[in-house]
Amino acid sequence: MHKVCSRLHGPSVLGKTDSWKSVNVCVEFHKEGGVLRQKSAVKQTPPVPPQIPPCDYKPESYQGMSEGRLLEIRKHNCNPMTMKVTYYKKPVFINQGYMQWLWDVDGRRYLDFFAGVATVSVGHCNPKVTQAAEKQLRRLWHTTPIYVYPQMQEYAEKLVSLLPDPLKVVYFTNSGSEANDLAVLMARLHTGNFDVITLRGSYHGGSPQATGLTSNADYKYPIPSSLGCHNTMCPDVFSGLWGGSHCRDSPVQTIRECSCSPGHCQANDMYISQLKEMLATTVSNRIAAFFAEPIQGVGGAVQFPKNYLKDSYQLVREKGGICIADEVQTGFGRTGSHFWGFQGHNVIPDMVTMAKGIANGFPMGALVTTAEIARSFAKGVHFNTFGGNPLACAVASSVLDTIKEDKMQENSADVGTYLLTELAKLRDKYEIIGDVRGKGLQIGVEMVKDKVTRDPLPREAMAQIFEDTKDMGVLIGKGGLYGQTFRIKPPMCITKDDADFFLAVFNQAVLNYMERR
């Protein structure tokens, strides 16, 4: 074997557009059967990572426990579930946050594109909301609904003014799981019926009743929790049985071909036929309720055909059931075009449950319904110690003001549409990006082995891209039945510069994986 090595310098050899600084070129000559064969290897320096946008805010330096000690306590004194849900091979140790930014205990800054699971609506420690919380903390932290205090009534009036008639009566809780539990109870009391229908792939909370509503095996235990809860086929127009190129209310459609005539969706007809069959075979003739997220959250930002909820609501009401919109992730302007996700489907539900972004991360939830349904609930006594407490209502009220004053819903529409259209370009560039979907800042990127089979990208591959994205300074989420979808749900205060940084990072992370593969 003969071997020749030399060093070549970037632009003079590779051209001005190449980012390599230098390369080592090794040429090996192997003599096999009397024939010389050439084998070469090109080694390049790693690409320069994208530059994180500037930030004037200066976080406080961390003075607490070491990372090792924190992790030791987490492993031995916190429930094992805490470690099971911890993201990343090398976890992120968060110390402080401000608007769209998070800092770890070492002072490294991250762009938060997951917002504490779509919860931080107007930004970490938003100054307006922080000021409102501090003001209320100095006045009154806690009392219960057995007394009348202004904050609950003031906030209730402000909240229901944002919902259409007849949705004008609110009950406050501490979480989305509580709100959905309560919705099931109210629906069964009001209708006198028992069966509840949800969509496959849905997530409605982690309480015993809410896990019954949830249709994802990862969140279920081998104990009775689903009594009276049934699920029908999710109308997923990308990975489901039927789909096309005009189905979704989104700036980006699927890559699937479509032969539908204008104004008609064959995929919607087929998914509605599945619901009709389920109503005919699985539940009694009269049902209690139908639950649906306007865009599935944990399920991977799954969007339905445009008329699916409208047609479903009609069928459910014919069976005596009430229609419930789970707005825990889609509410408060996140979808951009509307304040509530259900408005994008041109429907009015009988109940709306909400949490997460309602108070920018402060524990709070709510259920809004009609006066008639609320009267059915008042036949007994139900009491929530912390629901609608003065501090929670003051924070939530400030969140509503901030969304309006700072035009965050409009920002969700503008920056979200930009993100979706740019991500669609990456989908066209990479075989493993199967689908880009969503509205506003409720976005999903579904990863696949290839675009022909649309089979989910394996979890190990997802983990590599996920880890690389974090290492380059962006935090995103994961979802989908098989963990195959990246969830992009940042605070609604992000800028186009932030979007460009994320796009550069995500592109590099996918490219890194493709090169390793």
Side-chain angles (χ1 to χ4, degrees), residues 193-195 230 278-288 319:
N193 304 324
F194 192 68
D195 290 318
H230 313 271
M278 192 256 188
L279 289 169
T281 60
T282 309
V283 296
S284 64
N285 287 327
R286 307 294 287 175
I287 65 173
K319 291 287 185 178

Side-chain angles (χ1 to χ4, degrees), residues 195-465:
D195 290 318
V196 179
I197 299 171
T198 64
L199 299 175
R200 290 174 199 158
S202 64
Y203 180 84
H204 297 288
S207 62
Q209 180 64 67
T211 55
L213 298 171
T214 294
S215 178
N216 184 323
D218 284 347
Y219 297 95
K220 290 185 176 289
Y221 291 89
I223 59 172
S225 66
S226 304
L227 191 62
C229 297
H230 313 271
N231 57 68
T232 187
M233 184 180 288
C234 176
D236 183 342
V237 296
F238 172 69
S239 61
L241 291 179
W242 305 285
S245 56
H246 307 289
C247 302
R248 299 191 296 222
D249 176 23
S250 172
V252 179
Q253 299 295 328
T254 74
I255 56 173
R256 298 176 74 167
E257 294 183 359
C258 181
S259 59
C260 297
S261 58
H264 182 251
C265 181
Q266 295 177 22
N268 183 62
D269 294 345
M270 298 306 293
Y271 288 118
I272 286 295
S273 72
Q274 291 293 308
L275 176 57
K276 287 179 178 178
E277 182 178 345
M278 192 256 188
L279 289 169
T281 60
T282 309
V283 296
S284 64
N285 287 327
R286 307 294 287 175
I287 65 173
F290 171 76
F291 268 83
E293 305 158 88
I295 299 175
Q296 284 192 343
V298 175
V302 174
Q303 288 185 280
F304 318 138
K306 293 170 188 173
N307 289 320
Y308 181 80
L309 283 189
K310 191 174 184 179
D311 294 344
S312 297
Y313 277 24
Q314 181 179 340
L315 291 173
V316 168
R317 285 167 173 157
E318 288 172 359
K319 291 287 185 178
I322 65 172
C323 301
I324 302 169
D326 182 337
E327 293 275 358
V328 170
Q329 294 198 28
T330 49
F332 299 94
R334 178 162 287 280
T335 61
S337 61
H338 300 88
F339 200 81
W340 306 106
F342 68 79
Q343 293 170 316
H345 293 270
N346 196 27
V347 297
I348 297 179
D350 304 297
M351 288 187 196
V352 181
T353 58
M354 58 195 75
K356 289 189 181 291
I358 190 173
N360 203 45
F362 193 92
M364 190 178 191
L367 183 155
V368 180
T369 188
T370 68
E372 181 186 2
I373 294 172
R375 279 194 294 272
S376 301
F377 185 54
K379 293 175 182 177
V381 176
H382 188 281
F383 182 74
N384 192 312
T385 301
F386 298 105
N389 67 74
L391 186 54
C393 287
V395 170
S397 182
S398 180
V399 168
L400 288 183
D401 293 341
T402 303
I403 291 171
K404 182 179 180 180
E405 293 165 4
D406 295 352
K407 300 185 183 302
M408 291 201 175
Q409 181 182 337
E410 294 85 345
N411 191 60
S412 290
D414 294 343
V415 180
T417 299
Y418 174 73
L419 267 170
L420 282 160
T421 53
E422 293 300 310
L423 282 166
K425 295 175 184 176
L426 295 185
R427 176 200 62 188
D428 297 340
K429 178 180 177 181
Y430 295 109
E431 180 68 10
I432 64 169
I433 300 181
D435 194 32
V436 171
R437 54 180 176 256
K439 285 182 67 179
L441 294 175
Q442 176 91 340
I443 297 172
V445 180
E446 184 161 341
M447 310 298 287
V448 295
K449 290 180 180 178
D450 60 79
K451 287 185 170 75
V452 176
T453 66
R454 303 193 303 277
D455 289 340
L457 193 68
R459 290 181 186 268
E460 318 83 71
M462 291 290 292
Q464 290 179 40
I465 299 170

Side-chain angles (χ1 to χ4, degrees), residues 4-8 23-27:
V4 178
C5 293
S6 64
R7 175 173 289 272
L8 305 176
V23 293
N24 290 321
V25 179
C26 295
V27 182

Side-chain angles (χ1 to χ4, degrees), residues 3 25 134 137 156 165 197 319 358 387 444 469 474:
K3 185 174 181 179
V25 179
E134 289 174 346
L137 277 167
D165 289 329
I197 299 171
K319 291 287 185 178
I358 190 173
T469 303
V474 181

